[in-house]
Amino acid sequence: MNYSLLYDLLVILLLSVGVTLLFNRIKLPSIIGFLVTGMLAGPYALGLVKLPAKVDNVAEMGVIMLMFTIGLEFSVQSLGRIKRAVFLGGTLQVGLTVAAVAVLGVAAGNTFSSSVFWGFLLSLSSTAIVLRLMQERMEVESVHGQIVLAILLFQDLAVVPMMLLIPLLSGQASGNPALALVLMGAKILGVVAVVGLGVRYLMPKVLLAVARTRSRELFLLTIIGTCLGVAVLTQQAGLSLALGAFLAGLIISESEYSYEAVSSVLPFREVFASFFFVSIGMLFDVHVLLAHPVEIVLLTVGVILLKMLLTPVATAFLRAPVNEVLLTGMALAQVGEFAFVLSRAGLQAGLIKPDSYQIFLAISVLTMCATPGVLALARPVVGWVMRLPWPLELEQRLHVSPKPPTPALAVEAPPLTDHLVVVGYGLNGRNLVRAAKFAHLPHIILEADADKVHRGLKRGERIIYGDVTHEHVLEHLGVARARVVVVAISDPSASLRAVAAIRRLNPLVCILVRSLYVYERKSLYHVGATEVIAQEQETSMEVLAHVLARFLVPLADIEEVIGELRHGSHAMLRPHSLSSAAWSSIHVGLSGAEVATVPVEADPHTCLAGEQLSEVELRRLGLCLLGIRRAGAMLESITTDTEIELHDTLYVFGKPDKVKQLMGKIQVMEAA
């Protein structure tokens, strides 16, 4: 590294800070700021960067780190859970896009090879931009968020065979093309075998040995070395560095050290990924846009609309609701960062001309810049489309819920009244259904995942498939006759629309909503929620209760603190999960004995309240009374004549079994 490169890096860093701060003020993501930074600093604008080729080498590390962290945050098990969306949805999305673009290209007079290559480029979407925006909008856990994640993963993997097909398309491949494809498949299988052996045998032992040294430096060097080593291995095998980095992350993700690895590598990823997007911006020639503004804008709009149309067609076979399918199409309506890597190889192979290459860069950068606006408009646009008659008819035709096996003479179940409606059959929904069965409560379940519906029907659940925002679905659930509706889904915006739709049908029904964060409650109450239970707040209350109990704070005081913290909010005023007995069992151990708290909470005629200490005979039980807390203060003077009062808290010292014996005596008295 010489002075010139240091100068270029300094210019990029300083300019990135200024541009990104400006973009944050106008609510645009930092990635767009990096792209604009590259445009300004590049050779086609201000020309501040003197060695763009060396900056590209630094930026290549951004691709490697990006794919490495994707692999770290993923796992073989995660891939298994969404494998249908990855392989079916991803294959259809890439295949349909390549086919459509190839047909359009041939019709426009281009060669077949060039048209197919353009299909490769336009079939890819931006993993970095889309996932970052969806994380900010808390949509990754939604139905369309999971589909988007699956398709993006398939696209990242599809870059590898696309790169290998470039010599075949350009006619530069030597030998038999069929043999080349077989060799490519053999290389991929060989790399997968190496990864499998690494996951099972090598990396667990290596990482264990490194972790035992307790050296953060050695751990970081091992992680980075694994990433670069596997990346170079795949490059030597004729595959891409990006695939190798992803596989390296996948190897480490299966170990117990994956979370520490992510936290260690994340700062490097952010820095190098920033340089990657800056380098993309430097490739963009602003003069091309100024020379052909109408043509480029029309092509950009055409690419966005084409991907918006083709992606929903591909994902319709995943049996997702129509609105989720449409949201998926809008989320993936841009050209991805790996298309730039692919385009460079195509330019060198002659599949794309230099002028067309600059037009492609302009289209790609503009689609990336348009992505935040497209995602912001996605909900309103899809909401308007769903009010039309054809989406409902299409959903009924394509996504008929499987029916459970029933006897030939089965009688249709009568409509439910005064019942419980559970929206979402995840962990919260399943637990709620178990409780409803235990209490013999009439209930019905709504789920938007067809596979979960199918499994529920096999188990005999009363569950239907559909979108909670559709009025006809709510009518089928009997929401107008229900007593309680519980919305237990992970998509905040979907929960908001669900509450509004339910409240319109039944102004009197009790609507309980599970939210992730406290700040979501205000909007949910505004549209009609009865109670909103914020997971963030309830977790904090449970932690608070257990911490105070460990310091022997009386249960009444803990409840008072929690009540004060809840005061003035719309949160449901419920106590924490600690019962009196559970709270009292939280103690401080001292060499086989313990200091324990014994609350006196019961009817005065059936417990220790009203008795004198001499009558309790604590010493006969082998217990020593340390003090009595009454009305928030410790009694200063305690004698054998001191009378125990209701709501007192006794602090006793002794063996655990004797403490339990005293507690058992109180509980027996309470039950008497």
Side-chain angles (χ1 to χ4, degrees):
M1 182 178 290
N2 54 36
Y3 175 78
S4 297
L5 180 56
L6 286 174
Y7 169 80
D8 288 345
L9 296 180
L10 177 62
V11 168
I12 290 172
L13 289 173
L14 294 179
L15 190 59
S16 297
V17 171
V19 174
T20 305
L21 283 174
L22 176 63
F23 274 60
N24 282 335
R25 284 185 174 271
I26 58 178
K27 307 300 182 182
L28 286 177
S30 57
I31 292 176
I32 309 301
F34 295 137
L35 292 172
V36 174
T37 299
M39 295 179 199
L40 295 175
Y44 302 107
L46 301 179
L48 300 177
V49 175
K50 306 302 181 183
L51 297 173
K54 291 192 175 182
V55 174
D56 288 346
N57 294 334
V58 176
E60 193 172 20
M61 283 295 297
V63 181
I64 294 174
M65 289 296 174
L66 178 64
M67 291 304 296
F68 182 52
T69 51
I70 290 175
L72 282 173
E73 294 170 344
F74 214 67
S75 68
V76 176
Q77 293 180 349
S78 301
L79 183 62
R81 284 196 297 268
I82 61 172
K83 59 181 181 296
R84 186 169 180 270
V86 171
F87 295 109
L88 177 59
T91 302
L92 290 174
Q93 186 272 333
V94 172
L96 285 175
T97 306
V98 172
V101 174
V103 170
L104 292 174
V106 171
N110 295 324
T111 63
F112 175 76
S113 297
S114 177
S115 300
V116 171
F117 182 72
W118 273 98
F120 287 171
L121 297 178
L122 299 184
S123 66
L124 303 177
S125 302
S126 176
T127 301
I129 292 178
V130 173
L131 289 186
R132 184 171 296 185
L133 289 174
M134 295 192 76
Q135 286 173 347
E136 292 175 358
R137 297 166 62 88
M138 295 180 294
E139 294 182 349
V140 176
E141 297 299 326
S142 64
V143 175
H144 74 276
Q146 291 294 292
I147 297 174
V148 166
L149 175 63
I151 293 177
L152 287 172
L153 175 61
F154 181 86
Q155 290 177 357
D156 293 341
L157 297 176
V159 172
V160 179
M162 289 178 182
M163 291 286 290
L164 297 174
L165 287 172
I166 287 177
L168 298 178
L169 291 174
S170 63
Q172 298 176 357
S174 58
N176 190 346
L179 181 61
L181 289 175
V182 172
L183 182 61
M184 176 189 70
K187 289 179 179 179
I188 293 176
L189 290 176
V191 171
V192 170
V194 171
V195 171
L197 292 174
V199 168
R200 185 162 187 176
Y201 300 108
L202 180 60
M203 288 310 298
K205 295 180 180 179
V206 172
L207 291 175
L208 176 61
V210 171
R212 283 174 174 170
T213 65
R214 298 181 181 274
S215 170
R216 294 180 60 87
E217 295 82 1
L218 182 59
F219 182 83
L220 180 60
L221 289 174
T222 304
I223 295 299
I224 299 294
T226 302
C227 170
L228 298 180
V230 179
V232 171
L233 175 64
T234 56
Q235 185 187 45
Q236 293 298 318
L239 306 177
S240 71
L241 286 168
L243 175 65
F246 174 78
L247 294 176
L250 206 61
I251 290 174
I252 300 175
S253 72
E254 295 300 314
S255 71
E256 60 268 33
Y257 310 103
S258 59
Y259 299 109
E260 178 64 22
V262 171
S263 62
S264 299
V265 173
L266 205 56
F268 295 93
R269 185 196 73 174
E270 298 299 331
V271 172
F272 285 114
S274 302
F275 280 107
F276 172 70
F277 288 107
V278 170
S279 69
I280 291 174
M282 288 193 298
L283 297 174
F284 178 56
D285 189 352
V286 182
H287 301 92
V288 175
L289 178 60
L290 297 177
H292 310 281
V294 177
E295 179 185 354
I296 291 176
V297 170
L298 289 178
L299 287 173
T300 302
V301 174
V303 169
I304 293 175
L305 293 178
L306 181 67
K307 300 193 75 170
M308 282 185 183
L309 293 173
L310 293 178
T311 302
V313 173
T315 54
F317 293 92
L318 298 177
R319 296 187 295 178
V322 171
N323 65 319
E324 301 291 344
V325 168
L326 295 176
L327 289 171
T328 302
M330 297 189 72
L332 297 176
Q334 75 285 127
V335 180
E337 52 270 5
F338 287 109
F340 296 105
V341 180
L342 199 63
S343 65
R344 293 182 185 180
L347 180 64
Q348 295 173 356
L351 289 172
I352 184 173
K353 298 178 181 178
D355 293 341
S356 300
Y357 176 67
Q358 284 296 330
I359 292 176
F360 163 74
L361 291 178
I363 294 172
S364 303
V365 173
L366 289 178
T367 59
M368 286 183 170
C369 293
T371 299
V374 171
L375 286 181
L377 294 173
R379 290 288 184 185
V381 171
V382 172
W384 175 80
V385 171
M386 294 306 296
R387 288 194 289 269
L388 301 175
W390 65 266
L392 179 59
E393 297 176 2
L394 182 62
E395 184 164 305
Q396 291 174 342
R397 289 176 181 272
L398 293 179
H399 309 303
V400 179
S401 298
K403 296 183 179 180
T406 54
L409 299 178
V411 179
E412 185 178 354
L416 293 172
T417 57
D418 201 32
H419 59 288
L420 166 68
V421 178
V422 180
V423 179
Y425 200 46
L427 177 62
N428 289 276
R430 291 194 300 272
N431 289 338
L432 185 57
V433 169
R434 291 192 189 100
K437 289 180 179 179
F438 179 80
H440 304 289
L441 301 177
H443 63 278
I444 189 170
I445 311 161
L446 176 68
E447 174 58 51
D449 187 329
D451 292 328
K452 289 182 181 179
V453 173
H454 185 65
R455 291 192 294 267
L457 289 171
K458 283 186 175 180
R459 291 194 295 267
E461 302 286 3
R462 190 162 187 174
I463 182 172
I464 68 171
Y465 169 88
D467 185 349
V468 69
T469 61
H470 291 175
E471 189 169 326
H472 77 285
V473 174
L474 296 177
E475 290 175 351
H476 188 68
L477 292 169
V479 167
R481 304 182 302 275
R483 177 186 293 189
V484 178
V485 178
V486 178
V487 180
I489 55 181
S490 300
D491 187 346
S493 57
S495 297
L496 196 66
R497 292 179 289 117
V499 172
I502 294 166
R503 184 58 70 197
R504 283 196 303 268
L505 277 182
N506 191 338
L508 302 178
V509 69
C510 174
I511 305 176
L512 302 179
V513 187
R514 187 214 68 174
S515 70
L516 294 177
Y517 302 104
V518 174
Y519 70 84
E520 297 170 9
R521 297 179 304 173
K522 182 178 180 180
S523 55
L524 287 167
Y525 281 116
H526 180 72
V527 296
T530 308
E531 299 289 353
V532 180
I533 302 172
Q535 183 175 316
E536 180 183 41
Q537 183 184 40
E538 298 308 317
T539 303
S540 69
M541 294 302 174
E542 290 300 316
V543 172
L544 179 151
H546 283 270
V547 168
L548 294 183
R550 289 287 174 180
F551 284 93
L552 300 178
V553 177
L555 181 61
D557 291 354
I558 295 176
E559 292 177 342
E560 182 180 354
V561 171
I562 291 178
E564 290 178 357
L565 291 175
R566 294 182 187 275
H567 179 69
S569 70
H570 291 91
M572 181 168 22
L573 297 177
R574 68 172 186 86
H576 50 79
S577 62
L578 286 173
S579 63
S580 297
W583 175 82
S584 299
S585 67
I586 297 177
H587 56 271
V588 180
L590 297 172
S591 302
E594 66 180 18
V595 176
T597 53
V598 181
V600 182
E601 300 288 348
D603 187 273
H605 302 292
T606 58
C607 73
L608 295 178
E611 296 188 21
Q612 295 181 346
L613 288 178
S614 59
E615 298 172 339
V616 178
E617 299 180 343
L618 290 175
R619 292 193 178 277
R620 187 178 61 81
L621 293 174
L623 298 174
C624 177
L625 179 67
L626 301 179
I628 299 177
R629 186 181 182 89
R630 178 177 298 167
M634 299 296 295
L635 294 184
E636 295 182 359
S637 176
I638 301 176
T639 66
T640 56
D641 297 330
T642 299
E643 186 176 293
I644 301 173
E645 296 183 3
L646 190 64
H647 305 309
D648 280 353
T649 299
L650 310 182
Y651 292 86
V652 297
F653 176 78
K655 293 184 177 181
D657 58 337
K658 299 300 182 181
V659 174
K660 291 181 179 179
Q661 187 176 344
L662 178 63
M663 289 297 300
K665 177 181 178 182
I666 294 177
Q667 291 170 10
V668 169
M669 287 183 170
E670 289 175 350

